[in-house]
Amino acid sequence: MNRLSHYIAHMAGACIAGAALVTFFIFGWYSWWAFATAGVIGLVLAFPVGKLISRWIKKSDPTWNFHRNAPIRSDTVQNPVNGATVR
């Protein structure tokens, strides 16, 4: 996993755990087990979701070569508006 995946995984884990906790509260489960379960759900799903979002961002970036996992050289970048090569 790269740095972008790690940053997104931390944010996604917090969001997923928070959403799970709110869902538990909606259904009336007010206990420490609700906090623990929401935390475990956030931890388990954080890194796969972070990896998927990172891949989605890199695939949609016109300046990133997804197959080489490296940026495209600046002399061969195409303008996403009109397709012209930017030098």
Side-chain angles (χ1 to χ4, degrees), residues 21 24 29-39:
L21 189 62
F24 294 153
W29 189 23
Y30 300 103
S31 70
W32 288 105
W33 285 106
F35 284 95
T37 305

Side-chain angles (χ1 to χ4, degrees), residues 23-87:
T23 303
F24 294 153
F25 286 167
I26 288 172
F27 288 113
W29 189 23
Y30 300 103
S31 70
W32 288 105
W33 285 106
F35 284 95
T37 305
V40 168
I41 290 171
L43 284 174
V44 168
L45 294 178
F47 289 107
V49 169
K51 181 108 174 143
L52 287 173
I53 293 172
S54 173
R55 289 183 61 165
W56 176 68
I57 289 171
K58 288 183 178 182
K59 276 188 174 181
S60 63
D61 184 6
T63 62
W64 188 263
N65 187 347
F66 182 73
H67 299 292
R68 288 186 46 214
N69 198 20
I72 297 174
R73 290 188 357 219
S74 63
D75 60 341
T76 60
V77 174
Q78 290 186 347
N79 188 343
V81 176
N82 60 8
T85 303
V86 177
R87 294 202 187 261

